[in-house]
Amino acid sequence: MARTTQELADEWLRLDKDDSTRNEIQSLLKRGDTDELQQRLGTRIAFGTAGLRGPMKAGFACMNALTVIQASQGLAAYLLETEHDVQHRGVVIGRDARHNSEKFAKLAAAAFVAKGIRVWWYETPSHTPLVPFGVRHLNAVAGIMATASHNPAQDNGYKVYWSNGCQIIPPHDVGIAAAILKNLEPVTWDTSVVDGEDGDGCSLLVEGSLSLVQDKYYEVVRTAVLRNDEEETPTAPQISFVYTPMHGLGLLPMTRTVEILDLFPIENMHVVESQAEPDPDFPTVKFPNPEEKGALDLAKALGDKESVSLILASDPDADRLAVAEKYDGEWHQYTGNQLGILLASYIFEVQGQTGPTNELAMLASTVSSRMLATFASRRGLHYTETLTGFKWLGNVARDLSAQGYEVLFAYEEALGYMIPAVVHDKDSISAAAVFLMAVAYWNEQNLKPFQKLQQLYEELGYFEEANTYLISPSPAVTNEVFKTIRALRHPHPTTLGSRKILAWRDLTLGYDSTTKNHVPLLPVDSTSQMITCDLDDQVRFTVRGSGTEPKIKLYIECRASTRASARAGADSVLKDLLSEWFLPEKTGLRLA
């Protein structure tokens, strides 16, 4: 029997020992706001492959101290059931600089200590990739990072890495979610285990480890970006760039990386001072995401002032990297796909010449450009496509390594780049190190990054995208729209506009028109909507429902011999999708 709102509120107040969130629920009860209470208490924040992420509010459906304790207790129990030597190997716990991240990290640590599990504690906020790196370096069973990446200031999250240093994938997410439901009663709220001046607290199970991990990380970064024939990095004193950490944690690791590379004087890195220090309110940007329009305006202004033509930017937890370049008097902000192919081409040219190319591998997700697949084919590299997200890119890269491949690089179009020699997750710092080395390398050939990109287009073809998203009124509307699309024709539609659909892959229903038994090669997930089509005129698109936001995302790419033709092809397919499939005026979907 469903519990009443009052019963749910009583249960919350019984469990919650955090005065701030207790007061929120008590205030809602006093006002008689049953709708808001039901929304916050009637469902539980879902634990998935991305862990937890949501607004910081009181209630079982939100990010708060209680739901973090419950998630930590469930994760601890699951680890004890499934892994070996858990208590000794321990877990790595880090945090960003968002509101409540320190509180959430400390509560997580207390929950693991209560289970007798060792905690490798990061004493100060650090960029996200240091957690998966630390998991591998310290041989821990798991890692937890309190972060919401580039989400708005009111959000936070709880990200989980497995013992292989990768984000979790099924079935671990289901197993952890089930274990959480069996461990809802908080065992402890006592964070004194990590409250000592040196971060070690009063428990022998907690060990401050950030300095140890950081030193090894920078050593590995330097080794990974050196060219095969070099013991020392080259010098390029004429190179300079603007850097913004977007009110996040990137400045310290970026500065140290520039120093260890020793490509040019540290004074050549011009920092956007108003965005340099961590600020959980992100006051100078509408959204702390370097992809968003206007996010790099201050960096561009500084570049113009200092006559610097290159910008690097990280998101707040410094796992995503954006690059912009001023060329012929205009700022060009590279898309994730453009920066991906630039990095891939450099890595292959300078690091991929040590053995047979068919033993080398690169990866990209299914929503990323096919340009990397084309590049890999031309160079004789093994290329693998994965599902969306670095949980898949990281784990598949490890699988390929186990098969004997040397995995050089992986990326996803949403500004995520993985240098597997450093870490099996996206990392703006190691990616920036590679990019700066690439800039120095191209400079020896009298090439700017923009010119190198044009060379690649001339060789491989022009790949232009028309990516966007539709805001959906509800998950029910999203599901109904996809149901209607599938019903256009059985087993699938055969045309879109004037173009024939040459290939149809539905990873929701598990159908692929190109395989012998029509079973997709990629994993199927009936709980998420995702359709990919190949069309005439070298067009491919993927449409999918977002797992974290009320959006339907559209990824459209056309390849052609000229930029104009490729652009026109992608734009026309977007127009056809809106007029034939998504019908905003009828469905209530709203174009971004």
mmCIF file of all heavy atoms in Angstrom, residues 290-317:
data_model
loop_
_atom_site.group_PDB
_atom_site.id
_atom_site.type_symbol
_atom_site.label_atom_id
_atom_site.label_comp_id
_atom_site.label_asym_id
_atom_site.label_seq_id
_atom_site.Cartn_x
_atom_site.Cartn_y
_atom_site.Cartn_z
ATOM 1 N N PRO A 290 31.689 24.913 -20.829
ATOM 2 C CA PRO A 290 32.360 25.630 -21.916
ATOM 3 C C PRO A 290 31.713 25.437 -23.277
ATOM 4 O O PRO A 290 32.015 26.181 -24.216
ATOM 5 C CB PRO A 290 33.789 25.071 -21.888
ATOM 6 C CG PRO A 290 33.716 23.812 -21.112
ATOM 7 C CD PRO A 290 32.580 23.956 -20.154
ATOM 8 N N GLU A 291 30.803 24.473 -23.419
ATOM 9 C CA GLU A 291 30.061 24.301 -24.672
ATOM 10 C C GLU A 291 29.002 25.379 -24.862
ATOM 11 O O GLU A 291 28.602 25.675 -25.993
ATOM 12 C CB GLU A 291 29.346 22.947 -24.676
ATOM 13 C CG GLU A 291 30.204 21.769 -24.993
ATOM 14 C CD GLU A 291 29.373 20.503 -25.119
ATOM 15 O OE1 GLU A 291 28.768 20.089 -24.117
ATOM 16 O OE2 GLU A 291 29.334 19.930 -26.213
ATOM 17 N N GLU A 292 28.496 25.945 -23.763
ATOM 18 C CA GLU A 292 27.360 26.856 -23.841
ATOM 19 C C GLU A 292 27.760 28.185 -24.485
ATOM 20 O O GLU A 292 28.863 28.692 -24.301
ATOM 21 C CB GLU A 292 26.794 27.119 -22.443
ATOM 22 C CG GLU A 292 26.165 25.905 -21.786
ATOM 23 C CD GLU A 292 24.834 25.519 -22.393
ATOM 24 O OE1 GLU A 292 24.227 26.353 -23.102
ATOM 25 O OE2 GLU A 292 24.395 24.369 -22.168
ATOM 26 N N LYS A 293 26.823 28.749 -25.215
ATOM 27 C CA LYS A 293 27.058 30.032 -25.877
ATOM 28 C C LYS A 293 27.394 31.105 -24.844
ATOM 29 O O LYS A 293 26.717 31.259 -23.842
ATOM 30 C CB LYS A 293 25.802 30.444 -26.656
ATOM 31 C CG LYS A 293 25.980 31.707 -27.481
ATOM 32 C CD LYS A 293 24.725 32.005 -28.287
ATOM 33 C CE LYS A 293 24.915 33.268 -29.118
ATOM 34 N NZ LYS A 293 23.702 33.581 -29.924
ATOM 35 N N GLY A 294 28.461 31.824 -25.072
ATOM 36 C CA GLY A 294 28.868 32.907 -24.187
ATOM 37 C C GLY A 294 29.802 32.496 -23.074
ATOM 38 O O GLY A 294 30.367 33.352 -22.389
ATOM 39 N N ALA A 295 29.997 31.187 -22.876
ATOM 40 C CA ALA A 295 30.812 30.737 -21.745
ATOM 41 C C ALA A 295 32.269 31.177 -21.871
ATOM 42 O O ALA A 295 32.957 31.370 -20.864
ATOM 43 C CB ALA A 295 30.734 29.219 -21.603
ATOM 44 N N LEU A 296 32.762 31.338 -23.105
ATOM 45 C CA LEU A 296 34.161 31.711 -23.314
ATOM 46 C C LEU A 296 34.331 33.205 -23.625
ATOM 47 O O LEU A 296 35.428 33.623 -24.034
ATOM 48 C CB LEU A 296 34.768 30.873 -24.442
ATOM 49 C CG LEU A 296 34.842 29.366 -24.217
ATOM 50 C CD1 LEU A 296 35.612 28.694 -25.347
ATOM 51 C CD2 LEU A 296 35.475 29.027 -22.877
ATOM 52 N N ASP A 297 33.305 34.001 -23.408
ATOM 53 C CA ASP A 297 33.399 35.420 -23.756
ATOM 54 C C ASP A 297 34.532 36.128 -23.013
ATOM 55 O O ASP A 297 35.279 36.923 -23.599
ATOM 56 C CB ASP A 297 32.073 36.129 -23.466
ATOM 57 C CG ASP A 297 31.000 35.806 -24.499
ATOM 58 O OD1 ASP A 297 31.328 35.131 -25.500
ATOM 59 O OD2 ASP A 297 29.838 36.213 -24.293
ATOM 60 N N LEU A 298 34.673 35.874 -21.720
ATOM 61 C CA LEU A 298 35.733 36.527 -20.949
ATOM 62 C C LEU A 298 37.114 36.057 -21.404
ATOM 63 O O LEU A 298 38.072 36.841 -21.429
ATOM 64 C CB LEU A 298 35.548 36.261 -19.454
ATOM 65 C CG LEU A 298 34.329 36.915 -18.797
ATOM 66 C CD1 LEU A 298 34.220 36.496 -17.334
ATOM 67 C CD2 LEU A 298 34.404 38.432 -18.906
ATOM 68 N N ALA A 299 37.227 34.794 -21.751
ATOM 69 C CA ALA A 299 38.498 34.272 -22.250
ATOM 70 C C ALA A 299 38.854 34.913 -23.591
ATOM 71 O O ALA A 299 40.019 35.261 -23.842
ATOM 72 C CB ALA A 299 38.421 32.750 -22.377
ATOM 73 N N LYS A 300 37.874 35.072 -24.454
ATOM 74 C CA LYS A 300 38.126 35.713 -25.749
ATOM 75 C C LYS A 300 38.538 37.177 -25.565
ATOM 76 O O LYS A 300 39.440 37.669 -26.254
ATOM 77 C CB LYS A 300 36.883 35.619 -26.629
ATOM 78 C CG LYS A 300 36.565 34.206 -27.092
ATOM 79 C CD LYS A 300 35.250 34.149 -27.870
ATOM 80 C CE LYS A 300 34.918 32.727 -28.284
ATOM 81 N NZ LYS A 300 33.601 32.652 -28.981
ATOM 82 N N ALA A 301 37.882 37.847 -24.618
ATOM 83 C CA ALA A 301 38.237 39.247 -24.354
ATOM 84 C C ALA A 301 39.681 39.355 -23.872
ATOM 85 O O ALA A 301 40.427 40.262 -24.283
ATOM 86 C CB ALA A 301 37.284 39.841 -23.321
ATOM 87 N N LEU A 302 40.104 38.426 -23.011
ATOM 88 C CA LEU A 302 41.488 38.433 -22.535
ATOM 89 C C LEU A 302 42.445 38.109 -23.673
ATOM 90 O O LEU A 302 43.528 38.709 -23.783
ATOM 91 C CB LEU A 302 41.656 37.436 -21.392
ATOM 92 C CG LEU A 302 43.057 37.351 -20.773
ATOM 93 C CD1 LEU A 302 43.500 38.710 -20.229
ATOM 94 C CD2 LEU A 302 43.085 36.296 -19.664
ATOM 95 N N GLY A 303 42.058 37.175 -24.530
ATOM 96 C CA GLY A 303 42.890 36.855 -25.686
ATOM 97 C C GLY A 303 43.080 38.056 -26.591
ATOM 98 O O GLY A 303 44.196 38.326 -27.059
ATOM 99 N N ASP A 304 42.014 38.783 -26.833
ATOM 100 C CA ASP A 304 42.116 39.988 -27.659
ATOM 101 C C ASP A 304 43.018 41.019 -26.999
ATOM 102 O O ASP A 304 43.862 41.645 -27.659
ATOM 103 C CB ASP A 304 40.722 40.586 -27.882
ATOM 104 C CG ASP A 304 39.850 39.716 -28.785
ATOM 105 O OD1 ASP A 304 40.412 38.910 -29.555
ATOM 106 O OD2 ASP A 304 38.611 39.841 -28.705
ATOM 107 N N LYS A 305 42.872 41.200 -25.693
ATOM 108 C CA LYS A 305 43.665 42.188 -24.954
ATOM 109 C C LYS A 305 45.151 41.850 -24.992
ATOM 110 O O LYS A 305 46.004 42.742 -25.168
ATOM 111 C CB LYS A 305 43.181 42.258 -23.511
ATOM 112 C CG LYS A 305 43.971 43.220 -22.631
ATOM 113 C CD LYS A 305 43.486 43.170 -21.184
ATOM 114 C CE LYS A 305 44.356 44.047 -20.291
ATOM 115 N NZ LYS A 305 43.935 43.948 -18.856
ATOM 116 N N GLU A 306 45.480 40.575 -24.839
ATOM 117 C CA GLU A 306 46.881 40.153 -24.762
ATOM 118 C C GLU A 306 47.442 39.703 -26.111
ATOM 119 O O GLU A 306 48.577 39.228 -26.179
ATOM 120 C CB GLU A 306 47.022 39.005 -23.748
ATOM 121 C CG GLU A 306 46.586 39.346 -22.331
ATOM 122 C CD GLU A 306 47.510 40.351 -21.671
ATOM 123 O OE1 GLU A 306 48.652 40.504 -22.153
ATOM 124 O OE2 GLU A 306 47.098 40.974 -20.680
ATOM 125 N N SER A 307 46.648 39.826 -27.164
ATOM 126 C CA SER A 307 47.057 39.377 -28.509
ATOM 127 C C SER A 307 47.444 37.900 -28.510
ATOM 128 O O SER A 307 48.455 37.483 -29.091
ATOM 129 C CB SER A 307 48.216 40.231 -29.031
ATOM 130 O OG SER A 307 47.817 41.580 -29.143
ATOM 131 N N VAL A 308 46.637 37.102 -27.829
ATOM 132 C CA VAL A 308 46.834 35.651 -27.744
ATOM 133 C C VAL A 308 45.725 34.980 -28.547
ATOM 134 O O VAL A 308 44.546 35.303 -28.380
ATOM 135 C CB VAL A 308 46.806 35.180 -26.274
ATOM 136 C CG1 VAL A 308 46.848 33.668 -26.198
ATOM 137 C CG2 VAL A 308 47.976 35.780 -25.505
ATOM 138 N N SER A 309 46.085 34.052 -29.405
ATOM 139 C CA SER A 309 45.117 33.498 -30.354
ATOM 140 C C SER A 309 44.584 32.122 -29.974
ATOM 141 O O SER A 309 43.841 31.512 -30.741
ATOM 142 C CB SER A 309 45.747 33.414 -31.750
ATOM 143 O OG SER A 309 46.871 32.548 -31.732
ATOM 144 N N LEU A 310 44.960 31.618 -28.794
ATOM 145 C CA LEU A 310 44.546 30.269 -28.405
ATOM 146 C C LEU A 310 43.916 30.296 -27.014
ATOM 147 O O LEU A 310 44.430 30.958 -26.110
ATOM 148 C CB LEU A 310 45.761 29.341 -28.401
ATOM 149 C CG LEU A 310 45.526 27.829 -28.327
ATOM 150 C CD1 LEU A 310 44.773 27.335 -29.549
ATOM 151 C CD2 LEU A 310 46.868 27.092 -28.197
ATOM 152 N N ILE A 311 42.792 29.599 -26.850
ATOM 153 C CA ILE A 311 42.097 29.490 -25.564
ATOM 154 C C ILE A 311 41.910 28.028 -25.225
ATOM 155 O O ILE A 311 41.492 27.228 -26.062
ATOM 156 C CB ILE A 311 40.712 30.182 -25.612
ATOM 157 C CG1 ILE A 311 40.849 31.684 -25.774
ATOM 158 C CG2 ILE A 311 39.899 29.858 -24.350
ATOM 159 C CD1 ILE A 311 39.520 32.376 -26.064
ATOM 160 N N LEU A 312 42.208 27.670 -23.971
ATOM 161 C CA LEU A 312 41.851 26.364 -23.418
ATOM 162 C C LEU A 312 40.939 26.606 -22.228
ATOM 163 O O LEU A 312 41.166 27.538 -21.447
ATOM 164 C CB LEU A 312 43.085 25.581 -22.969
ATOM 165 C CG LEU A 312 43.825 24.743 -24.029
ATOM 166 C CD1 LEU A 312 44.429 25.625 -25.099
ATOM 167 C CD2 LEU A 312 44.910 23.887 -23.375
ATOM 168 N N ALA A 313 39.920 25.781 -22.092
ATOM 169 C CA ALA A 313 38.972 25.930 -20.984
ATOM 170 C C ALA A 313 38.580 24.564 -20.460
ATOM 171 O O ALA A 313 38.399 23.616 -21.231
ATOM 172 C CB ALA A 313 37.720 26.685 -21.445
ATOM 173 N N SER A 314 38.453 24.471 -19.142
ATOM 174 C CA SER A 314 37.946 23.261 -18.491
ATOM 175 C C SER A 314 36.582 23.556 -17.901
ATOM 176 O O SER A 314 36.269 24.709 -17.580
ATOM 177 C CB SER A 314 38.878 22.804 -17.355
ATOM 178 O OG SER A 314 40.186 22.588 -17.803
ATOM 179 N N ASP A 315 35.770 22.519 -17.716
ATOM 180 C CA ASP A 315 34.539 22.694 -16.944
ATOM 181 C C ASP A 315 34.911 22.632 -15.456
ATOM 182 O O ASP A 315 36.073 22.408 -15.108
ATOM 183 C CB ASP A 315 33.485 21.663 -17.346
ATOM 184 C CG ASP A 315 33.869 20.234 -17.004
ATOM 185 O OD1 ASP A 315 35.055 19.981 -16.719
ATOM 186 O OD2 ASP A 315 32.994 19.356 -17.008
ATOM 187 N N PRO A 316 33.964 22.879 -14.540
ATOM 188 C CA PRO A 316 34.335 23.036 -13.118
ATOM 189 C C PRO A 316 35.076 21.868 -12.489
ATOM 190 O O PRO A 316 35.940 22.080 -11.626
ATOM 191 C CB PRO A 316 32.984 23.286 -12.443
ATOM 192 C CG PRO A 316 32.194 23.992 -13.488
ATOM 193 C CD PRO A 316 32.578 23.302 -14.773
ATOM 194 N N ASP A 317 34.762 20.617 -12.866
ATOM 195 C CA ASP A 317 35.508 19.502 -12.270
ATOM 196 C C ASP A 317 36.661 19.048 -13.163
ATOM 197 O O ASP A 317 37.302 18.043 -12.900
ATOM 198 C CB ASP A 317 34.588 18.338 -11.913
ATOM 199 C CG ASP A 317 34.024 17.616 -13.119
ATOM 200 O OD1 ASP A 317 33.830 18.269 -14.162
ATOM 201 O OD2 ASP A 317 33.769 16.403 -13.022
#
